[in-house]
Amino acid sequence: MKEIVMENVCKSYGGTGVVSDLNISVGSGERLILLGPSGCGKSTILRMIAGLEDITSGSLYLGGRRVNDVESGRRNVSMVFQNYALFPHMNVEDNITYGLRVNRIPRDEIARRKAEVVNMLELSGLEGRKPRELSGGQKQRVALARAVAKRSDFLLLDEPLSNLDAQLREHARKELVKVHEKSGATMVYVTHDQVEAMTVGDRIALLSGGTVQMFDTPSNIYNRPANVFTAKFIGAPSCNIAPARVKGGRISFGGEWFAPGGRWREILSGRSEVRFGARPEHVHLHTDARPNSVRAVVKYSENYGNRTSVFTSVGETEIAVSGEDICFAPGETAYLSFDPDRIHLFDADTEENIGYPDDTRRGEDDEFIYKHNVA
Amino acid sequence: MSRRAAIGILWHAVLIALLLAMFYPIAFALSNSFKSISDAYSSVMELIPSRPTLENYSRVFSRLDVWRITANTLFIALVASVFKVLTSILAAYAFTEFSFPGRGVLYFVMISTIFIPFNVTMLPNYLSITSLGLNDTLVGVALPQLCDATGIFLIRQSMRTIPRSILEAARMENRSSLGMLTDIVVPLTRPAILSSAIIFFINSWNEYVWPVLMLKSKENFTLSLALQMYISSEGGTEFTVAMAVSVLAMLVPFGLYVMFQKFIVSTFTSSGVKG
């Protein structure tokens, strides 16, 4: 009984809508990621679950209980704040045990839980330090320890790793997943970082402008993006999206034609325009023309060490390609080919996905169903 | 000489002049309190007494019940400063933590009372205290001094610097507002609270006009009133004794300032108020 259910949840400030008609349910013990650009409403949603913001309309259920009017302290939730919100005048131990002391947990139980989280998060030796004497990573672990020691059913995290440097972040991320698995709480995690979202989340709710763009597993979000926004938001370099014309089962962009073949013909029938999408890692670059390849001119490339991204132009359209050992000089002519199983087509007006030849998505089952199924 | 150096010298000259202007009366009182009356008249401006004597102090202690008078002053100053600080903390917290209709207006009205001169409230206060039958009592002196908008202002400025998330973290632990005040807010605003307390204490310690109106019997006198006995027309000839009383009256506030100087300076610099 640790599910979180949001039904038609809306939030507005003096008439300005921040979150509109949110319907999300999170299973017991699941890790949900609220992902999106800044200002998309993800932190507001988290704060509504925490009870730090009122819900304008709709219902929020925590463990089956409607909690719209339940005070924050009585919702059985704990939270890690973005700035950690440690009490500056208390040492690490007092910070961790504050909530337990306030709620009159027996003293030996407090000692037991404290020992457990101190051990779990490698804080031993730091118990007597004040927050200002801790490094960023240590502060983050203390904040997490404080939240975990509470043993609440719901663990909320507001960009908990955003103040750490890149190396530490990777370590802290793994640790966080481990800690969560031990705690068994239902977790909601707010981030704007797609890598965190993909690696930490069981499911991701991708948000933009206060509405859910896609709510699915990381694998489906990556492989089966529901719309152009989702396709572009996840992946680096970002997914190539090109406005394209359609004729006789063939797609044209930048003056070049490409035939995806197979069942794509059925999906494309009756359309004259689409948005064509292909991830840079799913585009192949050749020095000579191949059947069904399109001609491109190399503009520039970026070397990331483990892979290279080459940016080409097909007519007016820019297409990025990335792979391990590709070496092209600017100005060179190259030929691009696309794996028909790994392209994405979106409606030209609504920017919604128009479907795939194999309609089964990879990954776990869930309620998400494409709006535009193939007949 | 560069322009910058010239400006520096000029500033220092001004500051030194100000320092002397403030320091001189204190030095004057201190030195004359150790002179005999005849020496004082012949060499009033000499800062180092040529024949130092404790005669003035012994005269003060023999004629006045100095301990009683000091205790009276201390009582009033403590009651006033403790209550002012308590009421200021509660009001400042309410104005910071809770949002309620009319908060801004109410705060503005409250703060504007700082600008009401004492002369305006003097008479109503006098009549109220008299009708309560508290004339010529220490409680009567302390009663109108139990709250102060300056303290609300100073403490609220300091409370506003506490990040919201810290209070939210406490709220998520099901802590009551009053619990948050004692656990989190007061410890984090301690410098502002302490320095407000000291300012209130010293103000009340030095208070003259209001105790003069209230207190009639000598056993209720405060140090300021005792001092007045020696500088009035009747006792005007004994000005070295008056200086000794002044020095005694200075001791407690001076000691407090030395002890808490760090907090006082940091509060005024951080709140942007010049002390």
Side-chain angles (χ1 to χ4, degrees), chain A residues 47 72 83 89 98 103 150, chain B residues 165 168 172-173 175 183 187:
Chain A
R47 291 173 58 82
S72 181
N83 63 2
H89 59 297
Y98 176 76
N103 288 299
K150 204 177 159 189
Chain B
S165 58
E168 286 173 347
M172 289 188 70
E173 304 296 351
R175 194 73 176 127
D183 294 357

Side-chain angles (χ1 to χ4, degrees), chain B residues 230-246:
Chain B
Y230 292 95
I231 50 177
S232 65
S233 49
E234 310 113 64
T237 48
E238 289 188 302
F239 108 95
T240 49
V241 181
M243 290 302 107
V245 178
S246 305

